[in-house]
Amino acid sequence: MTRPVYINGIGSVSAQKTFDNSVFLEDVTYRSDTIINVISPDYKSYIPPAAARRMAKGIKMSTVSAKTAIQEADLEENKIDAIIVGTGLGCIGDSEKFVRDIIDNNEQYLTPTRFIQSSHNTVAGQLALGMGCKGHNFTYVHSAISFESALLDAKLQLENKEADNILVGGVDELVDHHIDTHRLIEHIKQEPVATMAVLKSGTKGAIFSEGAHFFVLSGEKSHSCHAELVGVSTFNNLSKNQVSEKARSFLEENNLTSDSIDLIILGYNGDVEFDGYYDGLANGLFSNTCQIYYKHLVGEFDTASGFAFWLGNKIIRHHNIPPVLRLNSVEVSEPKLILCYNQYRGENHSFTLLRKC
Amino acid sequence: MTELKLELKEKIIEQLNLEDVSADDIADQDPLFGEGLGLDSIDALELIVMLDKDYGIKLADPKEGRKIFESVETMAAYITANRSA
Amino acid sequence: MGAGVAITGIGIISAIGGNVSENYRSLISGKIGIDKITQIETVHKDEIMVGEIKDDNPTLEKRLKFLENQNSRTVLIGCIAAQEAVEQAGILDINDVRTGFISGTTVGGMDKSEQYFYDYFDRPEVRQHITGLHAGDSTKKIADHIGLKEGFVTTISTACSSAANAIMLGARMIKSRQLDRVIVGGTDSLSKFTINGFKTLMILSDTYNTPFDDNRKGLNLGEAAAYLVLESDAIVNKENKTVLGYLKGYGNANDAYHQTASSEHGDGAVLAMQKALEVAGMDPSEIDYVNAHGTATPNNDLSEGRALIRLFNGKVPEFSSTKAFTGHTLAAAGGVEAVYSILGLQNDVIFPNLNYKTQMKEFDISPVTKVKNKPLNTVLSNSFGFGGNCSTLIFSKAK
């Protein structure tokens, strides 16, 4: 028999002020831009300077987010059995600088730090090093399902009792060359869009961003438990008309129907070419369900769905849906079952299901 | 030599991103690795690049660095004896 | 304990051959794939040796019937190896059961990213490579090439243990019935990025790498792609499939010691090997041969050798590193060595640890240096990477 999987601690560093777990989107930052950066916590109050001196921004964000989650789960760091991280591009700021140095200096006078930070698994590795965690240490790097791959791995281990407490996270940084090149191919919007106008921008591309979202997943429910992770499933390619069918079969596998879902979190990012993937669910299967979105607040990045997961946990804990997130006016007083659906440019689709416990 | 030592201290701080350290905090004989400044093997590789780039000294084997990087004093002495830049 | 997870197909391309049989012939005839670099223009070309795949990109593109310069070399070699594995497994319709694809890579499309880094702005005709920087992009393209549609596809990047970890996840997903079939392994092409990166760490040898030799000078980088097809017992029975070998055990642990180096006594390596034995339900004495990580860096071989002595309580079975043949193929290494482990089991042969001359001072174990025929039932294969990542796989003979 497999056992349930609980989310006992959550942490976020995003383009909204989310690093403080005691508040929940009370003070929303509105912008009008094509790219947005995280609202940084005071890293120095989390990371000693000697440890921070070689840390890329992605590692700093992850460290804060992970510490927040572990602290909330009220767990000693040595009780973490495994660390699993999802990241689209890792600490890409250092990769870019290293490539630039190779070209600009004709392969001379290169230093190791940037190369080391460029390894995709540097976040998971440094978290393990900092915590002395000798357990399973994986890093998934698969675009929009990087975070979900990590969730799936953790769920498998907890269900099969291969581990009791796992730190799972998603992280991505936003850096210059990546921005410039993605503007060229119109994956980033050409014109700034105001936060509350994202959905109706009518233009190609998304507003790019960054963030780090970490969670403590456990086989035992603790007093800090937010929710149960009921299911997570990913798909390589789906056509628009397959999404509803897959949502239905995903729910069936968990002995549920669309009627039982209290809230759906959709990954709309304002890209006129691909938002249609969400419309099928919003206008069909879940048209009578309370619907929310979030990328207008935190932007698009490979592990943006980590924010949706954080949001689902927050909503279950606070019984409160901040109005700024709402897509429709269907009311729900105390959401018990939350479904998240995300995709990026028509690829790498994921369903994640949370239940109040 | 005194000038070189100060220069080295400033370069070490900059190259290794030692934000909370100033040149005055590093005495000429302070051990740079382990107990003293707490540098590690990756820092040693960074310092090897610095020797090459700023003083034209190439080390082929990272082990050679151990003696040279014992302290600012030993670094300065080695650079003075071997520099080409 | 069950038989383990069945392996029904293998595919590989490396510096010692463009398919499985070429690799096997090189391994038993002692044909080394290490040479001067020819396909990347680098200022270091006279000071390094590499394990380069002989075919250039246009040749690989022709072999795959791909358009010119649309894909990273990581994708090209990955497609060749994955296709061979799928063909060998006799899969006619890859979407007929729940099939997944899990690939390990560290560089992804870096070969193209570094080439066109500044060109993207003036040359629209190379912009197809912009999204190739995503490691997952190479996996996606290989999945498309082998015809996978909606199934589970993901990428693991844990430096030099990536492919071993992809194989591990695949096995766990088959065992827990999340998938019926999964293609697992890894791919990495050579790039200026990795050449210069390893150069900054001062662990590249300027001559042929010599694993476990007292005078070893470091590693040779290599490039390769290698994949296995894992299938559930239900499919194997239903379709009466030929099983090439079984994956019996797997374990991953973190050394939590240093960002790039292994701990002095190989704590993470011992933990990974212990976990793998535990999953396999085996005693260390049941291991017939160890395909070591053996990169030929001073640090790895000492740490791994000590870990082997600890795990086997001094009675270390016959072992060798095949990296003197292929170079260190980074993310692909665990896949390459999984294929070699299966070839060893199928043919009852231990492949030699070439270039070994001098006994290491720190201990008295030494590798097998000549091709050796010996009945093999179980092979243990190690892969270790930056970030303290240590992985072990245990393979057993098909019955």
Side-chain angles (χ1 to χ4, degrees), chain A residues 107 137 142 149 153 237 246, chain C residues 42 150 154-155 172 252 389:
Chain A
E107 302 181 72
N137 192 281
H142 200 74
S149 299
D153 183 353
N237 293 321
K246 291 294 166 194
Chain C
T42 165
E150 58 193 47
T154 197
T155 311
R172 288 170 49 215
N252 172 263
N389 212 279

